[in-house]
Amino acid sequence: NHWGYGKEDGPYLWHTNYPIAKGNRQSPIDILPHEALHDPSLGPIILKYDRCTSSNITNNGHSVVVEFDDSDDRSVIQGGPLDNPYRLKQFHFHWGGKGCCGSEHTVEGNSYASELHLVHWNGVKYKTFGEASTAPDGLAVLGIFLEAGDDHRWLHMITDALYMVKFKGSVTNFKGFNPKCLLPSSLHYWTYLGSLTTPPLHESVAWIVLKEPIVVSEKQLSKFRMLLFTGEEEDQRIRMENNFRPPQPLQGRKVRSSN
Ligand SMILES: NS(=O)(=O)c1nc2c(F)c(F)c(F)c(F)c2s1
Ligand SMILES: [Zn+2]
């Protein structure tokens, strides 16, 4: 079931192998702040990343992923729309080409340069990530927009490691990184029920999208674009960029706002 972001295998063709692509709770979406329902019962997002344990960084042919040891509840997100603590499994990014677009969620039709996804799973109700990833309340993904501007003081920890995972299928040690350093100052958010934004597109995600972007430099963004979709053994070298799915129909869903 090869899929990608190109003309021959991109988001508009995913429905052929993944019919859920035309489902009624697909992600990403275009967020309209004025239509979001302010819900005073929505508490703050609580991130308990202190005993954080990143293990490695890998190029999976679709994005660059930092994986975590999720064998216990040491790094969790809770509060907000969530009934349980959800365990941090991995984080990864989506980005554009030179200068334009790149984020998956948009705000009033506007894209950011990139979007960071921190993927968590409901370890209280489900035994494994795989099991949770197919359950309607299985996953919680925290989305953070990246806006082009000044250098981000901690993102270099990631961009400096990207040369080690240039090719699809490469992985390298990446211990002790705490993604708390990638958060903006405000944790105000929009939340709605949606899906994975890449195949298998399971409709299992409670999306929590932070309103405030973090600022990273064009130079830092350009390092993501030196990654390749292709493996070391392949003749063709295809630059990893524009690995984002466009916004999907809201299908009557309500987006709630923390405030
Ligand atoms: N872009 S995303 O919605 O955060 C997201 N998609 C996927 C996905 F398709 C997977 F197969 C997977 F194992 C994940 F951990 C994620 S995480
Ligand atoms: Zn993602």
Side-chain angles (χ1 to χ4, degrees):
N1 281 349
H2 176 80
W3 59 272
Y5 292 95
K7 282 188 302 299
E8 326 271 311
D9 60 5
Y12 296 96
L13 299 169
W14 292 350
H15 68 91
T16 48
N17 287 324
Y18 304 92
I20 195 78
K22 294 180 182 289
N24 62 12
R25 61 171 277 192
Q26 289 290 294
S27 293
I29 59 168
D30 179 44
I31 296 168
L32 299 172
H34 305 298
E35 294 191 14
L37 296 172
H38 173 240
D39 182 342
S41 76
L42 275 178
I45 290 297
I46 300 162
L47 296 171
K48 293 183 174 173
Y49 286 169
D50 300 332
R51 292 182 53 237
C52 218
T53 46
S54 63
S55 54
N56 58 40
I57 186 168
T58 181
N59 174 338
N60 66 7
H62 310 297
S63 181
V64 58
V65 187
V66 174
E67 295 171 324
F68 290 79
D69 168 6
D70 58 350
S71 56
D72 70 20
D73 271 347
R74 66 180 77 184
S75 301
V76 298
I77 185 173
Q78 61 189 69
L82 307 173
D83 296 338
N84 303 124
Y86 284 60
R87 281 182 201 177
L88 178 62
K89 163 93 181 146
Q90 53 107 309
F91 70 77
H92 61 273
F93 299 82
H94 302 264
W95 59 90
K98 192 143 179 30
C100 93
C101 55
S103 63
E104 298 213 296
H105 291 90
T106 54
V107 181
E108 289 182 317
N110 299 312
S111 297
Y112 285 90
S114 173
E115 188 171 330
L116 161 60
H117 289 159
L118 292 131
V119 182
H120 310 74
W121 60 281
N122 187 339
V124 169
K125 279 187 73 175
Y126 307 103
K127 281 192 291 301
T128 64
F129 171 82
E131 188 192 342
S133 73
T134 59
D137 60 350
L139 303 182
V141 182
L142 182 64
I144 302 176
F145 293 123
L146 278 65
E147 180 177 73
D150 294 336
D151 242 42
H152 187 282
R153 63 175 300 149
W154 303 109
L155 191 69
H156 70 84
M157 304 264 287
I158 291 173
T159 54
D160 288 351
L162 297 181
Y163 78 96
M164 307 269 280
V165 288
K166 190 180 176 69
F167 297 102
K168 172 181 177 182
S170 46
V171 56
T172 194
N173 194 304
F174 196 72
K175 295 225 174 341
F177 182 81
N178 188 329
K180 213 158 184 138
C181 65
L182 299 178
L183 299 173
S185 48
S186 162
L187 292 184
H188 287 157
Y189 60 89
W190 294 292
T191 184
Y192 75 98
L193 294 177
S195 73
L196 299 175
T197 66
T198 66
L201 300 169
H202 294 318
E203 295 185 331
S204 57
V205 181
W207 277 96
I208 299 165
V209 180
L210 296 188
K211 295 183 180 181
E212 183 186 334
I214 60 171
V215 178
V216 306
S217 66
E218 270 302 337
K219 192 169 180 317
Q220 290 175 314
L221 285 165
S222 66
K223 291 191 174 171
F224 284 95
R225 296 188 203 107
M226 49 141 269
L227 294 165
L228 298 175
F229 280 126
T230 44
E232 192 164 7
E233 73 294 339
E234 296 181 57
D235 303 342
Q236 263 192 319
R237 288 195 163 197
I238 305 173
R239 196 187 291 263
M240 189 180 277
E241 56 186 20
N242 299 308
N243 57 346
F244 62 91
R245 188 190 194 190
Q248 300 302 307
L250 198 51
Q251 302 261 16
R253 286 173 285 178
K254 290 291 173 222
V255 177
R256 290 184 291 162
S257 167
S258 68
N259 98 339

